Amino acid sequence: MISRKGDVLLGQMLIDKGIITPQQLDEGLKEQKKTGDFIGATLIRLGFAKEDDIFPVLSEKLNIPYIKLKDAEVSRDIIKKVPAKFASYYRLMPVKQEKNVLTVAVTDPLDLHTLDDIRLLLDCDINAVLASEPDIIENIKKYYGIGADTVDKIMEDAAKESSVISKSGESVEEMADDASIIKFVNEILQQAVVDRATDVHIEPFEDELRIRYRIDGVLHNVSIPPTIKYLHSAIISRIKIMASLNIAEKRLPQDGRIKIKVNDKNIDLRVSIIPTVYGENVSIRLLTADLLLSLESLGLVKTNLEIIAQMIKKPHGIIFVTGPTGSGKTTTLYACLNKINSSRLNIITIEDPIEYELKGITQVQIHPKIGLTFAEGLRHMLRHDPDIMMVGEVRDFETAEIAIRIALTGHLVFSTLHTNDASGAVARLLDMGIEPYLVSSSVECAIAQRLVRLICSKCKKEIKLDDKLKKELGLKIDYSKTKIYQGEGCPACKFTGFKGRTGIYEILPLTDEIRDLVLRRASADQIKQKAVALGMKTLFDDGVEKILAGVTTIGEVLRVTKVEAALEE
């Protein structure tokens, strides 16, 4: 390691260059005494300096090149030369090889013991270059795969014990309680939380096991070692144990829940397992158990926020939230309930499944196998003197009819429908067989929504629009005075250009004019045209506002509002 004297010298160089102050160096040295870390890492952790400030200075001091690994392309042949467990243990990354000289990136190029170990292991000369530890760890995950060192150890131990590892993985099922399997599953879940994934998919195929994270609504492949395929059964068994499921049952689907804590954050995992031709497929939904939902955080523009705030204060009626699966409907309903929740109101929900536990609200999970359906649950919920009720989804005539009659008897009801837009909610109810006068009398509002990805604030840049994009937007504005943005891609957003999501909304209050159209069984298009004439903003309109505000991109809005975009043209 770099000596204490070297730490002070590096600190003085940082002071001379105006990167830190003498007081910050003193504080950094005191902290470094406790941890024993390299002074540069300590200053970065304390927030006194950035990585890009310290490492060039250290490179100059040691006369050793500093590289950014995200800019380096490493061949698979080079990766094979250094075992995953070796790279993980020593925190190093092979970069390139020229003749008999291997270039490796390390955080401490003066750690001669490690460099000597690498020389002996690989039987070649070593050229050490300087790189930051986060960069090295990220590249190990990228090229070796998450948990590669753990998998290597499992395979080595199995080989030593002369275990027969078949493609079916049956011989390793008993390893579900093995420390290495536990560690690997934990690493997959922990990385999912760090990457802000909402879902984890573990999918077996004939010649590989694929793991994918859904981040900001888009699936991304996770880099994992190829040999993980042979541990498929052990991984599934471990997840079943965590979710209190039947390990022996492989022919039927199973559902369960797991509660974990990652970085002081409570995470609720909803596990679903289905059998496939190549083994069991696992889908895990990650829900932040301590998430505080609010209407203000959903991305509603001021006018839409005011409409919803007014609607949820009504004493009776139904408010429907519509959109495809994964568009955030349940989140919006929870935010509405949180807004009006108080000790003076009795709020009961019936859901499938219960995604978040809401304090002070009675939540019921449906169980169709034992007869507890949405319709049956609604009937019994009325006996509990509710003021407000939420039905997870209106799927059929029976549920719709009961919900509407409950609304007509003085209750406020929230629910969801699967329709493309707000006007489609009315048409769907009529198609189910609900009489127009019941729809007109009970429905107060229909809210359609989609989720669009947010432009990463770290790599956001202004772009120029070509004629094709201007036509797709269909806006009569002065483009020379309008700024449009997109993300270039950076480490903060994993080079996607996006980080986080927000909603775009279309809110249709049932005014007297709209109710009159409903009574006349007008089509969804006729209702929509009238609503727009009365001032309703479509999903596309709301998306355009967010484009012009620099929140999201044209491509994102067009991706989720193709029908609306076509109508605008």
Side-chain angles (χ1 to χ4, degrees), residues 106 143 159 329 362 378 428:
V106 294
Y143 287 101
K329 300 186 297 296
T362 302
L378 277 171
R428 176 62 55 84

Side-chain angles (χ1 to χ4, degrees), residues 10-40:
L10 172 63
Q12 188 58 52
M13 291 177 72
L14 294 172
I15 292 171
D16 293 343
K17 291 182 179 292
I19 295 170
I20 62 171
T21 65
Q23 292 78 13
Q24 288 174 330
L25 175 59
D26 289 341
E27 191 174 335
L29 290 171
K30 287 177 184 176
E31 178 67 20
Q32 190 244 8
K33 272 185 183 180
K34 301 175 187 176
T35 62
D37 290 341
F38 161 53
I39 185 62

Side-chain angles (χ1 to χ4, degrees), residues 127-145:
N127 175 40
V129 295
L130 188 63
S132 70
E133 187 169 333
D135 267 6
I136 290 174
I137 293 171
E138 192 63 33
N139 264 41
I140 289 173
K141 290 177 183 175
K142 176 181 175 182
Y143 287 101
Y144 289 99

Side-chain angles (χ1 to χ4, degrees), residues 11 40 71 96 110 114 125 144 161 167 185 234 322 419 441-442 452 459 492 498 510 523-524 532 540 551 566:
D71 299 327
K96 62 180 180 178
L110 299 184
T114 297
D125 292 330
Y144 289 99
E161 295 170 9
K167 286 189 177 181
V185 172
T322 78
T419 63
S441 303
S442 62
V452 293
C459 58
F498 299 98
L510 264 71
S523 68
V532 170
F540 184 69
V551 171

Side-chain angles (χ1 to χ4, degrees), residues 371-426:
L372 181 53
T373 61
F374 279 121
E376 190 63 25
L378 277 171
R379 291 190 186 97
H380 288 277
M381 285 161 63
L382 275 174
R383 299 170 190 166
H384 287 256
D385 186 31
D387 296 295
I388 296 168
M389 301 171 72
M390 186 188 99
V391 187
E393 183 184 349
V394 169
R395 300 174 179 173
D396 51 45
F397 170 77
E398 186 181 17
T399 306
E401 185 182 41
I402 295 170
I404 283 173
R405 294 197 182 279
I406 289 172
L408 291 173
T409 55
H411 300 83
L412 182 61
V413 181
F414 293 88
S415 192
T416 70
L417 279 169
H418 285 285
T419 63
N420 288 326
D421 55 16
S423 57
V426 174

Side-chain angles (χ1 to χ4, degrees), residues 338-380:
N338 261 342
K339 184 75 173 178
I340 57 179
N341 187 18
S342 78
S343 59
R344 293 175 294 175
L345 294 172
N346 183 17
I347 303 175
I348 305 178
T349 75
I350 182 163
E351 307 171 57
D352 181 28
I354 296 171
E355 294 197 4
Y356 297 101
E357 294 178 7
L358 303 174
K359 189 174 182 181
I361 293 176
T362 302
Q363 295 173 272
V364 179
Q365 167 76 51
I366 73 165
H367 291 286
K369 289 181 180 178
I370 60 173
L372 181 53
T373 61
F374 279 121
E376 190 63 25
L378 277 171
R379 291 190 186 97
H380 288 277

